[in-house]
Amino acid sequence: MRVTVLVRPKTGIRDPQGEAIGRSLGGLGYPVSSVSAGSIFDLEIDTDDLKEAERLGTEMAARVLSNDLIEGFEVIVG
Amino acid sequence: MRVTVLVRPKTGIRDPQGEAIGRSLGGLGYPVSSVSAGSIFDLEIDTDDLKEAERLGTEMAARVLSNDLIEGFEVIVG
């Protein structure tokens, strides 16, 4: 079953990659006032159980895919 | 207006980051058969025009945020 995990910087945490991209886009003339940069992970989990896929996805997101100090995550099943 | 750009490796293109994470998760005992790793960008664009936001988001995604040789992108407005 496919599970997608979105990992984003927490509000108020510095995001140097997003800031650099924002400056680049501004330099190119794009009207962009802020950019936040995060990660997306598409996992294929060996289960047909939706609840189990969500449980595993959440556990992997918290334990491996994100850093709780500076990032939040969202798990989308299916 | 908020625009989110999802950038993912193209099918068939090697994804070393995803492969490494897949091995780590497998090593921890998670039943994961594949992992793909990409980027998510949340942009705040200075326009109230939905079509214009989509046009700008698509242009920035193609020109700056993704590498057409190895990545595809998806633009979500709002």
Side-chain angles (χ1 to χ4, degrees):
Chain A
M1 181 161 275
R2 164 86 162 252
V3 172
T4 296
V5 177
L6 305 179
V7 178
R8 290 177 160 111
K10 283 185 176 169
T11 311
I13 297 287
R14 273 206 63 196
D15 170 14
Q17 193 193 351
E19 290 167 16
I21 293 168
R23 280 192 299 273
S24 288
L25 292 170
L28 290 168
Y30 291 109
V32 173
S33 54
S34 82
V35 179
S36 149
S39 303
I40 179 167
F41 301 99
D42 295 305
L43 313 171
E44 195 58 43
I45 303 185
D46 303 332
T47 178
D48 293 331
D49 183 330
L50 206 130
K51 290 245 172 213
E52 176 69 355
E54 184 169 13
R55 189 188 70 74
L56 285 168
T58 303
E59 194 178 304
M60 289 186 277
R63 196 173 161 194
V64 178
L65 303 174
S66 72
N67 177 348
D68 179 54
L69 289 174
I70 57 171
E71 295 169 325
F73 65 81
E74 189 180 338
V75 176
I76 301 159
V77 178
Chain B
M1 183 161 276
R2 163 86 161 250
V3 172
T4 297
V5 177
L6 304 179
V7 178
R8 291 177 160 112
K10 283 186 177 168
T11 311
I13 297 287
R14 273 206 63 198
D15 171 15
Q17 193 194 352
E19 290 167 15
I21 292 168
R23 280 192 300 275
S24 288
L25 291 170
L28 290 168
Y30 290 109
V32 173
S33 54
S34 81
V35 178
S36 150
S39 303
I40 178 168
F41 301 99
D42 296 304
L43 313 171
E44 194 59 43
I45 302 185
D46 303 331
T47 177
D48 292 329
D49 183 330
L50 206 130
K51 290 246 173 214
E52 176 70 356
E54 185 169 13
R55 189 189 71 73
L56 285 168
T58 302
E59 194 178 306
M60 289 185 276
R63 195 172 163 194
V64 178
L65 303 175
S66 73
N67 176 347
D68 180 54
L69 289 174
I70 57 170
E71 295 169 323
F73 65 81
E74 188 180 338
V75 176
I76 301 159
V77 178

